[in-house]
Amino acid sequence: MSAPSTPVAGATAEPAWVRRTLIGSALVFLAGFLLLPLAVVFVEALKKGLAVYLAAITEPEAVSALRLTLLAAAVAVPTNVVIGLAAAWSLAKFRFRGQNVLLTLIDLPFSVSPVIAGLIYVLLFGLQGWFGPWLKAHDLQVIFAVPGIVLATVFVTFPFVARELIPTMQAQGTEQEEAARVLGASGWHILRRVTLPNVRWALLYGVILCNARAMGEFGAVSVVSGHVRGVTDTLPLHIEILYNEYQSAAAFAVASLLALLALVTLALKAVVERRMARAARLAVQAARKDDVAARGPQRSNAVGRPRRSAYAQAGGAAHHAPIGGALAAPAP
Amino acid sequence: MTAGNSAAATFVGSAPGRPRAPLSRALLTRTSVLPGFDLSLGITLFALGLIVLLPLSAAFAKTATLSWPAFVDAAFSPRVLASYRLTFGASLAAASVSAAFGLLVTWVLVRYPFPGRRIVDALIDLPFALPTAVAGIALTALYADNGWVGRWLALAGVKVAYSPLGVFVALTFIGLPFVVRTVQPVLADLPTGIEEAAATLGASRAQTFARVILPALAPALLTGFALAFARAVGEYGSVIFIAGNLPMVSEIAPLLIVTKLEQYDYAGATAIAVVLLVAAFALLLAINALQARARRRESA
Amino acid sequence: MSIEIRHLHKRFGKTVVCDDLDLDIADGELVALLGPSGSGKTTLLRVIAGLETPDAGSVRLHGADAASDPRGRRVGFVFQHYALFAHMTIFENVAFGLRVRPRATRPDEAMIRKRVHELLALVQLDGLADRYPHQLSGGQRQRIALARALAVEPDVLLLDEPFGALDAKVRKDLRRWLRRLHDEMHVTTVFVTHDQDEAMEVADRVVIMNHGRIEQAGTPDEVYDHPKTPFVLQFLGDVNLFHGRFGHAPGAGDPQAEHTGVSYVRPHELQVLGAPEHGTLAVTLSQVLTVGTQARLEFRRIDDGSWVDVQLPRSEFAILEAKLGLARGSRAWLKARRVTRFAAWSDGDPAVDPAAMI
């Protein structure tokens, strides 16, 4: 044993050719699977030239669709931030009967198909719905009008902020808030000066996801909108209209805007994730500093530690009380 | 809103002797000095009830107005059954493929350093972040007979766009991040200890993977599969552009709901919706159970 | 199976973790690698196991160059955090090494069953074959880990801080149990620990490591009574440190005194006297602590105010207290029964000056 060689991970490494084959196949798969669809959006958008592209995204109907999309997001995000904070506060800082049930209920919109999300609002506020006659009598319109779109958007983005805040606030416990209370702080003070600063990255993460979903929602909005161009069309719906009219280049042009939004979302996500990971790591280090026995299994073959995802189970670094499962987000 | 007036009392302080707010009194299992329980829970329940539960109950209430035979007819007629077959069948197949490739991608991401790993890691979430309508038209453009990929497949006689196969492809696309993100933390946290233990006990690398690593990942993989499956069942936007939407052939259940709505057949649409909702809730409970079991095993 | 390590060198990045190590372990010995964190002891153990490859140097097992990966080396390894396979039953855990044998040497199901139950009986956990690791306590899990390692009949048994993650009481029990197991099985065993009591209690020989080098290797009595370096002396048990020669403060003007170097005296090597003698140190009593059967006295030097610890059995202290009328603040004189000095020691060749008589 004289040659100074250090394999990648000693006795637990695969031979190099296996490694290279696996990396190669994974990258080929991802390129074909993820990059191609992304690329095709931009290529098709610019197919007929830059002039057509710009015309498509600046025409009045597109602009009004953009405005409606932004409006829906501007209502949905703050609403769900408030609800998310309230839910996280009650669930993370207290113990009460039915906690798990509440958690599951909050996750409900995740397991509902977006088309069904739209349908149930039609059942409530449509002409033949429960509140239909009342709305008609007061000359108000929800379905096939802007309010319906906003409502449906709020529904589908309901859990996003909450399920980011809840595990984070649970992991942080109640010590700091209780200390503040003992020092005489009021509830709002505690929230503003103790809790919020601690969860700011999780909150931002939830907002990013909530916004991405709100602006990209399709199925639910499609059902409640009347597809009236220029009035009840969001950007995704506008794409559909253009596409169905065979204005493919224009459709892709508008789609490219949303694709850009998606890329920005991914970038922001990555940045915030890293901040969150760093904050969590520092907290764990501080807690374990002198505890020799608590320095659990150190070695891991992982190259980089990912944080748990928004749509997988909540849990993360500290496994606390079972959080009623998470479910997939059905399609916008 | 029940919290109303008691909000003020709660915030001033829960001093002993002061009557506690109603929600606190009824539900708290452990007293706390922290304020705001009633207000926060009140807001949550109010929002939950108004935005989520009330509308959802409308679906069940509407269905309840149907007589049983009418319900069965609406929810299980041949065309509807065909749509279930397509929706659930394609979702199952797509989730399986997502799981297989997702495992490969996760393994490579977690274990092997390669240039651009961080960017690839961020891109995994693309199907989740990309609006479904955009994904829908992009996939259609790719797999149409004159598309970048479609033209090669057409040479082999395989038609993807406007067929059930297209549905399958679209559902695989959107399922990938669920598998990767669920398995990733588990794989990353796998201590080398058990792999080294297997090596010292004489297992080859392949044996170690098959007998030690894969079983340890199985719960997470299954959960990821279930999440991808649940998402696929409800998927709409990504699919309707690439599917042919031909009744009995390439029509997914969510599309059928929309079609019925456009025909003002509210009862029929709701009946199908209820079937899908029940399936979704069953899946939700199953996934909860899976995760609870995985958490219990983890303490070893 | 004897182990021979020559010129072992291992580096992680810029840190040298093992610095030109030489070590011989005889067949059937129970050896402890003892040292503080970062001393290289775990890395040395893992190199013996084949889990790490050294940058330079050789490992020979029973005279032959060791195979390049752990599978060829017939070593059993027990990890600090057990590394049991969580998804397998206890039975399957222990049977694992037998099941992954190549078809040619794989025992049949009946043999496997027999061997597993033998081992479970050996570690006194026979009834738990169908349980899962998370249902067992820490001590039980560690015994299963041991059984698993022994199942493949290794030539060498390696344990990495095996009891580090356990409660104090469990640790003590398992220590004794390991010693007894070794006496029965006579497998060459090497274990890593940072707990000196553990090493001294269990091992035939103790290898003390610091900063990647072996400070001393010897029986527990040897290293305790005849430490080769100041580090060894200070690592194993308490010690009082005196600059210059004991009993003579620097600058006392005594022509005999060498004002250089450091003298070491262990607390139980000091004698408390009521009157001064030649070479004694003048002190006042500051505190008395009784811990179990021992009394620990804390004295303050009159000349420079530094502290000196003395330890003696409570019974003796009671007599002394009565005879000298010792109380807080009372004067006394300390005499050293034994002083250890290291004369200008250089690399690996220290001279110990017993200076038993002053």
Side-chain angles (χ1 to χ4, degrees):
Chain A
M1 195 81 56
S2 48
S5 64
T6 323
V8 171
T12 55
E14 293 75 51
W17 69 268
V18 171
R19 227 183 305 147
R20 260 174 272 149
T21 317
L22 290 179
I23 298 180
S25 9
L27 287 182
V28 164
F29 168 74
L30 287 175
F33 212 58
L34 295 183
L35 290 183
L36 274 189
L38 195 57
V40 89
V41 170
F42 292 101
V43 167
E44 290 290 322
L46 296 167
K47 206 171 195 171
K48 297 234 176 83
L50 195 57
V52 175
Y53 179 86
L54 290 174
I57 60 179
T58 52
E59 64 146 341
E61 281 161 5
V63 172
S64 86
L66 175 64
R67 233 180 292 143
L68 186 53
T69 299
L70 290 174
L71 173 67
V75 173
V77 171
T79 309
N80 285 322
V81 165
V82 170
I83 299 176
L85 270 174
W89 181 261
S90 65
L91 281 165
K93 306 293 177 188
F94 301 90
R95 285 213 196 279
F96 56 93
R97 278 186 276 271
Q99 248 171 318
N100 280 340
V101 175
L102 185 58
L103 277 165
T104 311
L105 288 179
I106 290 178
D107 265 346
L108 270 186
F110 256 13
S111 43
V112 172
S113 169
V115 162
I116 299 180
L119 167 66
I120 54 183
Y121 277 95
V122 171
L123 289 177
L124 269 189
F125 298 113
L127 274 180
Q128 302 174 23
W130 287 1
F131 297 109
W134 185 91
L135 289 170
K136 184 140 195 243
H138 289 76
D139 208 21
L140 293 170
Q141 207 181 359
V142 172
I143 303 300
F144 303 151
V146 173
I149 293 179
V150 173
L151 271 177
T153 308
V154 173
F155 178 91
V156 297
T157 53
F158 188 82
F160 276 93
V161 177
R163 47 205 316 244
E164 285 309 314
L165 286 179
I166 291 173
T168 307
M169 284 172 79
Q170 276 186 334
Q172 289 173 352
T174 52
E175 277 181 1
Q176 293 186 35
E177 282 81 6
E178 284 170 354
R181 183 63 169 173
V182 165
L183 289 168
S186 75
W188 295 115
H189 260 147
I190 298 178
L191 186 66
R192 208 158 34 100
R193 290 172 173 234
V194 178
T195 315
L196 278 182
N198 275 335
V199 299
R200 62 185 192 280
W201 293 118
L203 184 58
L204 187 57
Y205 196 83
V207 164
I208 294 173
L209 291 183
C210 184
N211 178 64
R213 177 68 188 262
M215 295 183 70
E217 177 55 38
F218 179 69
V221 174
S222 174
V223 169
V224 300
S225 131
H227 296 271
V228 178
R229 304 172 73 136
V231 178
T232 60
D233 257 354
T234 60
L235 275 183
L237 292 181
H238 194 58
I239 295 176
E240 187 192 20
I241 291 184
L242 289 174
Y243 191 81
N244 288 339
E245 290 177 352
Y246 296 98
Q247 293 191 52
S248 141
F252 278 102
V254 179
S256 70
L257 288 182
L258 287 174
L260 281 173
L261 171 69
L263 289 176
V264 168
T265 303
L266 288 180
L268 287 177
K269 245 181 120 221
V271 167
V272 174
E273 266 174 5
R274 214 154 325 143
R275 295 293 169 92
M276 286 182 76
R278 199 196 307 159
R281 220 184 322 132
L282 290 175
V284 169
Q285 270 175 19
R288 282 183 169 182
K289 227 178 201 173
D290 298 308
D291 199 352
V292 174
R295 247 177 254 139
Q298 293 286 358
R299 283 176 256 276
S300 169
N301 259 337
V303 173
R305 269 228 85 248
R307 67 177 288 278
R308 57 152 190 95
S309 77
Y311 34 85
Q313 78 275 27
H319 293 285
H320 284 246
I323 300 172
L327 196 50
Chain B
M1 175 127 129
T2 57
N5 297 330
S6 52
T10 330
F11 278 127
V12 169
S14 9
R18 233 193 187 88
R20 278 156 62 201
L23 284 179
S24 303
R25 223 177 323 129
L27 296 171
L28 276 183
T29 61
R30 202 195 288 176
T31 51
S32 168
V33 297
L34 294 179
F37 178 70
D38 272 54
L39 181 61
S40 59
L41 188 62
I43 294 178
T44 310
L45 290 178
F46 179 66
L48 191 65
L50 201 62
I51 300 176
V52 179
L53 295 177
L54 186 64
L56 276 177
S57 62
F60 290 95
K62 181 87 185 168
T63 311
T65 64
L66 289 175
S67 68
W68 182 250
F71 173 75
V72 169
D73 184 50
F76 297 109
S77 72
R79 182 176 175 192
V80 179
L81 280 178
S83 78
Y84 292 154
R85 261 198 302 272
L86 178 61
T87 291
F88 286 99
S91 301
L92 204 61
S96 312
V97 172
S98 285
F101 278 104
L103 181 61
L104 168 67
V105 168
T106 313
W107 181 266
V108 169
L109 272 180
V110 174
R111 288 291 171 106
Y112 305 143
F114 59 87
R117 197 184 62 88
R118 282 238 198 97
I119 300 183
V120 173
D121 192 37
L123 277 178
I124 296 289
D125 283 324
L126 184 65
F128 184 73
L130 199 64
T132 52
V134 176
I137 60 173
L139 288 173
T140 314
L142 266 186
Y143 288 97
D145 283 339
N146 60 349
W148 297 1
V149 178
R151 69 178 71 144
W152 300 107
L153 294 173
L155 288 178
V158 176
K159 183 178 161 69
V160 174
Y162 313 120
S163 76
L165 203 52
V167 175
F168 164 76
V169 168
L171 294 180
T172 316
F173 176 80
I174 53 116
L176 183 72
F178 293 96
V179 177
V180 175
R181 293 309 188 209
T182 315
V183 177
Q184 220 176 355
V186 177
L187 183 57
D189 278 343
L190 214 60
T192 15
I194 57 173
E195 292 175 60
E196 287 178 343
T200 59
L201 290 167
S204 71
R205 195 67 190 139
Q207 280 175 314
T208 307
F209 184 81
R211 288 172 179 262
V212 176
I213 299 177
L214 204 51
L217 293 178
L221 198 54
L222 193 57
T223 306
F225 168 84
L227 289 171
F229 177 67
R231 166 80 188 239
V233 165
E235 185 64 30
Y236 180 70
S238 315
V239 180
I240 56 164
F241 294 96
I242 196 174
N245 302 332
L246 292 174
M248 302 293 290
V249 175
S250 51
E251 185 180 46
I252 55 170
L255 176 60
L256 194 46
I257 295 178
V258 173
T259 310
K260 294 218 177 247
L261 269 179
E262 284 168 356
Q263 296 164 354
Y264 297 101
D265 180 7
Y266 285 2
T270 312
I272 306 176
V274 163
V275 171
L276 288 182
L277 279 174
V278 167
F281 294 158
L283 260 176
L284 179 60
L285 292 175
I287 290 179
N288 274 17
L290 268 177
Q291 294 179 342
R293 202 154 63 104
R295 253 189 301 270
R296 236 184 311 128
R297 285 251 222 93
E298 234 171 65
S299 44
Chain C
M1 172 77 88
S2 60
I3 305 175
E4 207 182 270
I5 296 167
R6 293 282 176 267
H7 300 296
L8 195 73
H9 192 91
K10 175 79 186 164
R11 197 198 331 199
F12 286 123
K14 290 212 199 95
T15 332
V16 175
V17 176
C18 292
D19 193 359
D20 200 35
L21 297 175
D22 289 306
L23 184 61
D24 281 291
I25 298 175
D27 186 23
E29 249 196 314
L30 177 53
V31 171
L33 300 179
L34 175 65
S37 310
S39 52
K41 52 193 197 296
T42 300
T43 310
L44 175 58
L45 193 77
R46 288 169 62 85
V47 167
I48 299 176
L51 293 171
E52 306 275 2
T53 351
D55 298 323
S58 68
V59 177
R60 296 168 78 86
L61 299 176
H62 214 57
D65 271 324
S68 53
D69 79 76
R71 292 175 61 205
R73 290 195 186 192
R74 300 178 53 88
V75 291
F77 201 101
V78 177
F79 296 79
Q80 181 178 5
H81 294 276
Y82 332 123
L84 292 178
F85 306 130
H87 57 278
M88 295 186 201
T89 60
I90 298 304
F91 182 92
E92 285 304 321
N93 262 281
V94 178
F96 184 83
L98 300 169
R99 289 208 193 281
V100 296
R101 287 237 183 104
R103 204 145 295 199
T105 49
R106 197 183 308 169
D108 63 14
E109 187 62 32
M111 281 264 348
I112 292 182
R113 197 175 298 272
K114 182 162 164 290
R115 180 115 183 92
V116 170
H117 282 294
E118 258 172 32
L119 284 159
L120 287 180
L122 182 69
V123 300
Q124 290 148 352
L125 288 174
D126 204 355
L128 300 179
D130 292 320
R131 300 265 182 94
Y132 283 88
H134 71 263
Q135 295 173 293
L136 266 52
S137 73
Q140 289 173 325
R141 285 184 217 170
Q142 197 55 294
R143 281 187 275 163
I144 296 296
L146 196 54
R148 183 179 66 175
L150 290 171
V152 293
E153 290 173 339
D155 295 323
V156 178
L157 188 59
L158 305 171
L159 303 106
D160 183 6
E161 309 233 24
F163 312 131
L166 301 170
D167 293 335
K169 177 91 186 15
V170 180
R171 227 181 293 162
K172 286 218 164 74
D173 291 336
L174 281 180
R175 247 186 250 169
R176 239 172 283 148
W177 178 84
L178 178 65
R179 179 77 235 183
R180 254 182 271 133
L181 192 70
H182 178 261
D183 290 337
E184 259 187 60
M185 301 201 64
H186 298 296
V187 178
T188 312
T189 306
V190 183
F191 75 97
V192 161
T193 180
H194 61 269
D195 181 347
Q196 67 168 101
D197 290 333
E198 197 165 283
M200 307 291 262
E201 264 184 45
V202 179
D204 294 328
R205 268 201 312 148
V206 178
V207 177
I208 299 170
M209 295 181 65
N210 186 31
H211 289 315
R213 314 188 118 236
I214 294 180
E215 297 266 337
Q216 186 173 2
T219 66
D221 286 338
E222 265 172 35
V223 295
Y224 189 78
D225 292 329
H226 305 285
K228 276 199 191 151
T229 71
F231 175 81
V232 174
L233 176 62
Q234 287 175 308
F235 193 75
L236 300 173
D238 301 321
V239 71
N240 290 300
L241 204 146
F242 302 95
H243 293 283
R245 289 191 77 104
F246 177 83
H248 300 269
D254 186 331
Q256 270 191 341
E258 295 152 31
H259 304 309
T260 53
V262 178
S263 301
Y264 298 95
V265 187
R266 292 214 191 267
H268 60 85
E269 291 169 341
L270 285 167
Q271 210 179 345
V272 183
L273 303 173
E277 283 178 23
H278 178 66
T280 56
L281 202 59
V283 292
T284 52
L285 180 59
S286 167
Q287 252 208 97
V288 178
L289 288 164
T290 48
V291 180
T293 58
Q294 298 286 317
R296 296 212 191 129
L297 282 61
E298 197 178 70
F299 287 99
R300 202 153 192 202
R301 280 173 68 161
I302 290 182
D303 49 14
D304 66 4
S306 60
W307 303 99
V308 181
D309 290 320
V310 176
Q311 187 172 317
L312 69 167
R314 273 173 87 174
S315 44
E316 266 186 50
F317 173 66
I319 298 172
L320 203 62
E321 200 178 12
K323 188 167 95 173
L324 298 180
L326 279 179
R328 271 184 127 197
S330 38
R331 228 175 209 231
W333 286 263
L334 298 179
K335 176 173 175 173
R337 280 193 276 259
R338 187 166 177 265
V339 176
T340 308
R341 284 169 64 79
F342 299 95
W345 70 286
S346 54
D347 267 316
D349 194 15
V352 175
D353 173 10
M357 306 299 137
I358 291 187

